Amino acid sequence: MKKVICYVNQFFAGIGGEDKADQAPYIVEGCIGPVVAIEAALEDAKVTHTVVCGDNFMGSQTQEALERIMDMLKDKDFDLFIAGPAFQAGRYGVACGNVCKAVEAQFENVLVLTSMNEENPGVDMFKKDVIIFKGGKGAVKMRQDVKVMVDFANKLLAGGTNEGAEAEGYFPRGCRHEKYLADKRENTAAYRGVQMLIKKMNKQPYQTELVIPEKEVVPIAPAIKDLKKAVIALVTTGGIVPVENPDRIQSASATRWGSYDVTGMDRLEGNIFKTIHAGFDPAAANADPNVIVPLDAMRAYEKAGKFGRLHDRFYSTVGTGTTEAEARRMAQEIIPQLVADGVTAVVLGST
């Protein structure tokens, strides 16, 4: 029987949420949380161990976390390593990608798999290194995401063939493998290339065999020539809003934003502003919102004459789970307002 080791974060291990995100790596025998579903779907394999690590620990002490985990695995006998699914959770996705990449590098004959939503930053970071299956946005898709991964694992562990990214359902890795011997004309690259050219010339749909991913490049803004005349605005994805959250900005997967007047304020007070961001422990930000929106520091620079003046409103939304499409739309709505108000620079604060 094949042996499997899985990786989950502190939340799916059931030890806590953001309050336990600094949990150092540890390993236990058997299954925890979603790993139970993974083992249930395995055919001729058994989960022997589950590795757990807090997302903050992995994110802030990546090298140490990976070294500890590799040390935990070095004396283990296993054929398959599964991380996640990570859904749309960015830190979890990056953690799964880092762990999977490290396992692939150190354990040559181990099949390594994970699953993430297309909006997870871990996809672009690790899809060339690791097989990442296309997953849902949240844990409601757990059963479906697990099934896709484990069905693939069952097939390969039983000696089956990987039919490629499109057929199997994972993100393309840019790998090209010969699937057929060129025993027929139709199987030669020359023939396939000419057929694509004919379709293109006749404006018929065709699919290239070497897909070049599109990468959106944002040009670097020119330097401000004279800070003494600059009008600077504060913008954040950290979810700082008035305590009543008048714009009803969502705590995750945001589609709304708001702008708030800070005329005459030297700092943001905790009983007037708070964070509604669901992706981190809000205690520090609620006690002192300036750790996310640094109004206090910017006022000090303004009074010291470091720049012209601070814009009298700050703009806020929530970053966790927010899609690139929604972020782009919100930016396209906010930027014209900043330009109309004469803003020449933005300090974009996150979490």
Side-chain angles (χ1 to χ4, degrees), residues 25-48:
Y26 65 91
I27 189 168
V28 297
E29 292 186 359
C31 304
I32 299 176
V35 180
V36 174
I38 291 174
E39 182 171 64
L42 290 167
E43 292 177 353
D44 188 28
K46 178 179 178 61
V47 175
T48 60

Side-chain angles (χ1 to χ4, degrees), residues 186-228:
E186 291 81 359
N187 290 337
T188 63
Y191 180 84
R192 300 196 309 273
V194 169
Q195 294 308 303
M196 282 193 286
L197 177 60
I198 292 172
K199 289 180 179 179
K200 182 176 182 179
M201 293 174 65
N202 286 284
K203 301 187 184 306
Q204 296 175 350
Y206 69 94
Q207 176 61 56
T208 176
E209 294 181 6
L210 183 59
V211 178
I212 307 299
E214 293 184 9
K215 186 174 183 179
E216 184 177 5
V217 178
V218 179
I220 298 174
I224 298 173
K225 293 181 179 179
D226 188 358
L227 271 176
K228 299 291 184 181

